[in-house]
Amino acid sequence: MDELEAVLSRVRERVLPEPEERERLRETAAELTERAREAIADLPVEADVVQVGSTARGTWVAGDRDIDLFVRFDADLDRAELEEYGLEVGHAVLPDGHEEYAEHPYVKGSHEGFDVDLVPCHDVERAAELVSAVDRTPFHDAYLSARLDDDLAADVVLAKAFLKGIGAYGSDLRTEGFSGYLTELLVLELGGFVPLVESARSWHPPVEFDPEGHAERTFDDPLVVVDPTDPTRNVAAVLSATNLARFQHYARELLAAPGEGFFEPEKPEPLSSAEVRDHLDRRETTPVAVLFDAPDVVDDQLWPQLRRSLDGIVGGLNEHGFDVLRATAMTDAAGATGTAGADDPGETTESDGSDGPTRAALYAELEVTERPAVERHDGPPVAVRKHAASFYESYVDDVDPDTYGPFIDGDRYVVEREREFATVREYLESDAASDVALGAQVEPAFDDRDVLVGGAVATLAPAFGRPLREFYEPRP
């Protein structure tokens, strides 16, 4: 434990903001807040402005540059007016800002080196009465601000740095990791960073925490943290089973052998074409890639569709006997996704996609890429008279020379018939590959796809080098 405390002490020095950084952020936030108040005074409706998020609570990692200001309008204000007045305030505060979109538009920009979000919301009495998802953020801020003292706030920063270091931080639908709000609730619930990792190493999912003891429904997620401001919501709903397991793994590793490296994010270099070929030579598997134009949507719409499409293609490959070893979806760019009140999952704000990926790939490694010209098709046992007779009669007069049988093998009828696709390329280029469950906006792009098989996938390295390294050199 002494060794762990020594490591954490050194990490705190690096990840906790210095007083100068805190003061500069405070001054900048105060200036922007005053601008917002001046803009609100010119509106024909009442509103106020509140700073929310980790920089409002003192729980941000040193170097993070986010300031989130929420402009609260009367709960009865209709959506069109909220959008109109919210954007008017946003553009007044950030004249060079641009509009992005969550459940409704907001203004994003920069000021004095800080990334700033001006987000309109409704001033509802309780989080359970929200009109849009962003309405709950001020409640989260108030709940945590009233309960996090300086020591717990410092432990929150440690926890966020740890989650960033292990690649499990971020509630966007690409990452499916821990949101800032979830992280803060867990540190608060367990009483600090060390108690959190000590608890996590022994979790047996599903694991549930209900800070206010007020859950009004059950949840089917590996980790459940009932929102203390909304008894119907699981704050950890976005968290994937993979990232929960990753957190447990590294919690055990940290406690067993403390080191500062756990708090330092890896920045893998892209694989080169030659390195891809080296992996292929060692593994002696056959990779395939289906390439298509990435739909022009934001990341939080794109990634669920890519994963749905990947599941469909993997299912089709396995169904046709091509035995998938491992598979992933990839894009040629990280895209652009942010969060309004970045501490809240479910309040994701999204860019217009202009800086997003242009190409996407469904990538799989196969154990088998060619199959025999015929495949076995088992019928019912002969003793099951009605079904057996139907099966037999459907094939007995088949004049196709590539069909063998029906004959009896053991206690049942069997035929060996022509296989629909003998090679993986035939399958992936066929209409059958388009008939699997694809994402709604992936489906039209999929019609104009390119298929790469074997060593040809090395040509993906210039555009997909980083996800290829993550695929071929996976970390826990």
Side-chain angles (χ1 to χ4, degrees), residues 143-214:
Y143 182 87
L144 289 168
S145 295
R147 291 164 175 79
L148 291 174
D149 58 24
D150 289 346
D151 289 339
L152 283 174
D155 273 15
V156 165
V157 177
L158 277 180
K160 290 180 178 180
F162 180 70
L163 289 165
K164 289 183 176 185
I166 66 175
Y169 188 76
S171 62
D172 59 277
L173 295 183
R174 180 183 190 184
T175 306
E176 297 183 312
F178 289 76
S179 71
Y181 181 50
L182 172 59
T183 305
E184 297 189 27
L185 287 177
L186 287 170
V187 170
L188 179 62
E189 179 74 8
L190 275 303
F193 173 67
V194 173
L196 171 59
V197 292
E198 287 179 332
S199 175
R201 66 178 169 181
S202 301
W203 287 349
H204 293 279
V207 178
E208 180 168 336
F209 298 99
D210 184 0
E212 294 299 304
H214 68 172

